[in-house]
Amino acid sequence: MARAGGKIILLGEHAVVYGVPAIAAGIARGAEAEASTAPRAVLEIERLGRFRSGEPHDTARAFSALLAALSAPPCAVRARLELPPGCGLGGSAALGVAIARAVLDHLGTPHEAEDARVLKATEAWETVFHGNPSGIDAAAAARGGCIQFRRGHPPEPLPVKVALTVAICLAGPASSTREMVAGVARLRERRPQVVDKALEGIHALVKNARLAIGAGDLPALGRLLDLNQMLLSGLFVSTESIERCCSLARDAGALGAKLTGAGGGGAVLALIDGDATPVLDAWHAAGFEAFETRVAATP
Ligand code: PMV
């Protein structure tokens, strides 16, 4: 079985589409896949369905695009996703990376030496779902660890002084990244100054967050997450449910909380100082699904 992790965006979603750097980190939960010989390309994703090449379905089209990017012959792939799809945790990119790795392994080209091909294939897969992805999901899923990502540039690994404990909650419902990105683009057409001011603000927060992560200053990082959430609300990508999950986390002692990914529903993350239990309990008591993840310190 080939594997890949999902991701969280710590700061900079949406702004990253317009060239602002963003900070993302790989998470352990993700996807796994296994490929075998078959006369026709078919992808079976546990609980999500079976997709054959040529079918008029995004997943079937994305699978064909991924195989074409790898110059791979038709094959059968069985995959399993460990993250809810459409919640901003990089589930589709994790699937893309796991499938690309599985196909390369099956072709006798061990994927460990083929990072660039895996990334290219995952970008082809992501483009079918997202239209105009910045590439951050694919980069974080393919690479893991904490990265700074700037559109069109190779991801830059970021030194992490103190491991980050992050609680994640599904504020829901699932949302479409493509539609959320299009919504921000429409807002930018109508009110360019407002959006560009928000993008500048997010850029400043990302620069400071990079310093805070490098210095292990968790309280500062928490405040930067809160400020990023405020600017994202100004772009109309937050929801009542996201705001509620952020408040519940802060009231339960989180250092900061924000949506992660495209917004419009999906996931919220909270930075924890020490034990995540009080924040997870607060979310569970309010009926939200939640779990904990860690971003390891770099040696
Ligand atoms: O795929 P999501 O929901 O994690 O969103 C990705 C982040 C965006 O900045 C909103 C879109 C993009 O392509 O970078």
Side-chain angles (χ1 to χ4, degrees), residues 7 9 12-17 86-90 92 126 130 132-137 149 151 175-177 180-181 260-263:
K7 66 95 190 48
I9 298 181
E13 51 274 273
H14 286 290
V16 71
V17 173
C87 68
L89 296 175
S92 75
E126 284 282 281
H130 291 194
N132 178 27
S134 66
I136 189 169
D137 284 26
F149 179 85
R151 197 168 191 157
S175 71
S176 153
T177 299
M180 298 311 295
V181 168
T260 184

Side-chain angles (χ1 to χ4, degrees), residues 66-75 103-104 107 117:
L66 179 145
L67 290 177
L70 291 175
S71 310
C75 58
V103 170
L104 286 172
L107 295 176
R117 282 178 79 194

